[in-house]
């Protein structure tokens, strides 16, 4: 009889970290239904709600990020919280007795996997971006395996530990059934006309929203249909600013729950360049214009975008230029069938399917090798 499998998964802070973490947990459970999985997150961050909603137990650590510049006096408190978090993480690990710990990036993983290293528990890291995050770079030396989504990650991690697996994505997107026509109709639009989907992530993206608001006459006269997810944070302000504008070919919503249908309806997507979103576009073969967010560590969204742009697998617009150039480029691109076809083919070639299952198998193998 197999020994009970016990796994710690740590990380979070953003959907880009939480999603892969939950996907890996689900894949481990699919392979080993007996597995006991405990998440470790940062108190007050998104994972403390999202993980229980996905059906898993989570423990929070009082860890947070350092203030810039590092000499700020407030960082004394941050450092104290880190030491306390590491002590609490060690206590948690001793009680839970995992055979393996998985880190997906984010504050909590630095304390939880640091504690696992000091207790001799094997660790696996999953890096979503083409530019490695600080937590994973720091933990790499002691990791047994590092699962990455982009080639060329040897500049951050020891080459012999790297495994190119891709990023786990939302399973429901790949299992979604139905064709483009029904999807377009579900938004009240005409399947005979081209449709552009504009998404700024769950919170929205101010630049994308301002780019739309600044080009309403172009949108109205374009002959193209637009589905625009504004993000809940901006929705009241946008409703106010749209008063007096009658644009029947613009469907405005604060949040799209059924992204699978929205993607099916779209001939072209306009999006930020988060690693999770990019992995979805690759797997779905979606033509996309990326507008990297300038507000992320190490400008990693631009690096994510350029990994595609350099292979003619996506178009991109700089954040500062988007209000002027984004909508004209989107309308021009969506009306160019040859361009859409080549973007779709090239981005599809970059897809790495079955990521969650491949990573889950590595997690199980590490746990078994530990005994």
């Amino acid at each position: 009889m197999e020994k009970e499998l016990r796994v710690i998964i740590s990380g979070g802070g953003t959907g880009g970290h939480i999603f892969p973490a939950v996907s890996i947990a689900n894949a481990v459970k699919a392979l080993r239904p007996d597995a006991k999985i405990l998440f470790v997150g940062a108190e007050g961050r998104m994972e403390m709600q999202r993980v229980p909603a996905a059906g898993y137990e989570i423990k929070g650590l009082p860890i947070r990020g350092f203030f810039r510049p590092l000499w700020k006096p407030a960082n004394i408190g941050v450092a104290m919280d880190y030491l306390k978090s590491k002590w609490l993480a060690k206590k948690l690990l001793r009680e839970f007795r995992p055979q393996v710990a998985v880190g997906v990036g984010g504050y909590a993983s630095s304390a939880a996997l640091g504690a696992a290293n000091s207790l001799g528990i094997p660790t696996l890291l999953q890096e979503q971006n083409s530019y490695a995050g600080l937590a994973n770079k720091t933990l790499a030396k002691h990791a047994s395996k590092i699962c990455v989504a982009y080639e060329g990650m040897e500049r951050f991690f020891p080459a012999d530990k790297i495994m190119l697996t891709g990023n786990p994505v939302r399973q429901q997107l790949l299992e979604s059934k139905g064709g483009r026509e029904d999807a377009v109709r579900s938004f009240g639009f005409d399947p005979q006309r081209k449709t552009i989907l504009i998404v700024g992530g769950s919170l929205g993206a101010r630049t994308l929203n301002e780019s739309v608001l600044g080009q309403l006459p172009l949108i109205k006269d374009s002959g193209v249909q637009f589905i625009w997810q504004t993000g809940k944070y901006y929705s009241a302000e946008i409703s106010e600013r749209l008063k007096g504008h009658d644009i029947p070919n613009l469907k405005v919503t604060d949040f799209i729950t059924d992204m699978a249908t929205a993607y099916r309806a779209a001939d072209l997507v306009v999006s930020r360049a988060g690693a999770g979103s990019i992995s979805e576009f690759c797997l779905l073969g979606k033509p996309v214009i990326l507008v990297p967010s300038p507000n992320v560590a190490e400008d990693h969204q631009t690096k994510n975008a350029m990994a595609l742009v350099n292979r003619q697998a996506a178009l991109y617009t700089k954040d500062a230029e988007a209000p002027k150039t984004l909508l004209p480029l989107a309308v021009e691109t969506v009306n160019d069938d040859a361009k859409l076809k080549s973007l779709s083919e090239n981005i599809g070639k970059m897809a790495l399917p079955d990521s969650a299952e491949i990573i889950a198998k590595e997690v199980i193998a590490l746990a078994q090798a530990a005994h």
Side-chain angles (χ1 to χ4, degrees):
M1 189 176 141
E2 282 182 307
K3 188 175 168 63
E4 183 182 64
L5 177 63
R6 302 176 78 82
V7 182
I8 286 273
I9 301 180
S10 184
T14 65
H17 290 315
I18 298 161
F19 241 20
V22 170
S23 296
I24 293 165
N26 291 343
V28 168
K29 277 288 207 188
L31 294 167
R32 285 285 299 272
D34 65 307
K36 296 276 184 289
I37 298 173
L38 178 66
F39 279 75
V40 179
E43 285 172 1
R45 304 289 294 206
M46 201 190 282
E47 58 266 27
M48 300 309 291
Q49 276 77 48
R50 293 280 180 92
V51 169
Y56 294 99
E57 187 186 354
I58 186 166
K59 302 280 188 189
L61 302 174
I63 195 164
R64 53 208 168 103
F66 283 98
F67 296 98
R68 302 270 190 260
L70 288 174
W71 45 258
K72 278 193 172 179
N75 282 326
I76 296 167
V78 178
M80 298 296 286
D81 281 345
Y82 175 78
L83 293 172
K84 185 182 175 188
S85 295
K86 201 159 173 191
W87 179 82
L88 285 169
K90 265 190 181 170
K91 187 167 172 282
L92 257 178
L93 293 177
R94 285 198 178 105
E95 286 166 6
F96 186 72
R97 303 186 320 282
Q99 294 110 334
V100 61
V102 178
V104 296
Y107 306 137
S109 69
S110 57
L113 270 81
N117 289 330
S118 64
L119 294 172
I121 297 162
T123 58
L124 177 144
L125 304 179
Q126 198 263 326
E127 175 56 60
Q128 298 93 38
N129 291 294
S130 62
Y131 193 94
L134 186 60
N136 281 347
K137 280 194 286 194
T138 312
L139 294 163
K141 190 168 71 165
H142 297 291
S144 305
K145 263 284 185 281
I146 304 167
C147 298
V148 300
Y150 291 90
E151 288 165 359
M153 298 301 283
E154 300 79 18
R155 61 209 169 108
F156 304 110
F157 303 131
D160 57 333
K161 296 180 179 183
I162 293 175
M163 187 174 177
L164 185 66
T165 60
N167 282 323
V169 303
R170 296 178 272 192
Q171 233 16 66
Q172 63 265 40
L173 293 180
L174 306 179
E175 289 159 1
S176 166
K177 301 284 181 278
R180 176 189 171 276
E181 290 199 4
D182 289 341
V184 174
R185 282 200 187 94
S186 74
F187 287 95
F189 281 158
D190 175 2
Q192 301 306 312
R193 289 166 70 184
K194 292 289 177 67
T195 303
I196 295 174
L197 170 66
I198 300 173
V199 280
S202 53
L203 298 175
R206 180 172 287 284
T207 298
L208 298 191
N209 292 341
E210 291 299 333
S211 300
V212 175
L213 288 165
Q215 301 274 1
L216 295 175
L218 169 73
I219 288 170
K220 188 169 185 175
D221 300 336
S222 66
V224 174
Q225 300 165 144
F226 290 82
I227 302 163
W228 175 25
Q229 179 184 284
T230 62
K232 292 186 173 169
Y233 183 77
Y234 299 105
S235 77
E237 178 200 340
I238 286 167
S239 298
E240 196 58 38
R241 287 171 68 181
L242 285 174
K243 277 185 179 159
H245 291 278
D246 177 31
I247 309 175
N249 58 324
L250 178 63
K251 165 90 177 165
V252 186
T253 175
D254 63 346
F255 186 69
I256 298 169
T257 43
D258 184 1
M259 277 308 293
T261 299
Y263 281 150
R264 276 208 318 277
D267 298 289
L268 176 69
V269 181
V270 174
S271 169
R272 285 301 199 194
S277 299
I278 286 178
S279 296
E280 290 174 357
F281 304 142
C282 291
L283 284 160
L284 298 168
K286 275 286 149 193
V288 62
I289 300 174
L290 298 167
V291 186
S293 169
N295 314 313
V296 293
E298 316 282 4
D299 195 23
H300 69 244
Q301 284 207 1
T302 297
K303 297 173 176 93
N304 290 347
M306 294 317 292
L308 274 73
V309 172
N310 292 337
R311 293 190 182 194
Q312 282 79 52
L315 302 176
Y316 106 113
T317 297
K318 287 184 179 163
D319 187 84
E321 294 166 7
K324 270 206 179 96
T325 63
L326 178 60
L327 266 295
L329 176 64
V331 171
E332 181 193 332
T333 305
V334 84
N335 285 314
D336 183 342
D337 287 339
K339 186 73 179 167
L340 291 179
K341 186 169 185 281
S342 79
L343 285 171
S344 177
E345 284 171 0
N346 292 341
I347 201 168
K349 286 175 192 159
M350 295 183 72
L352 292 163
D354 308 319
S355 300
E357 188 181 341
I358 293 163
I359 296 167
K361 283 177 176 166
E362 285 301 312
V363 171
I364 293 165
L366 281 178
Q368 286 168 342
H371 290 278

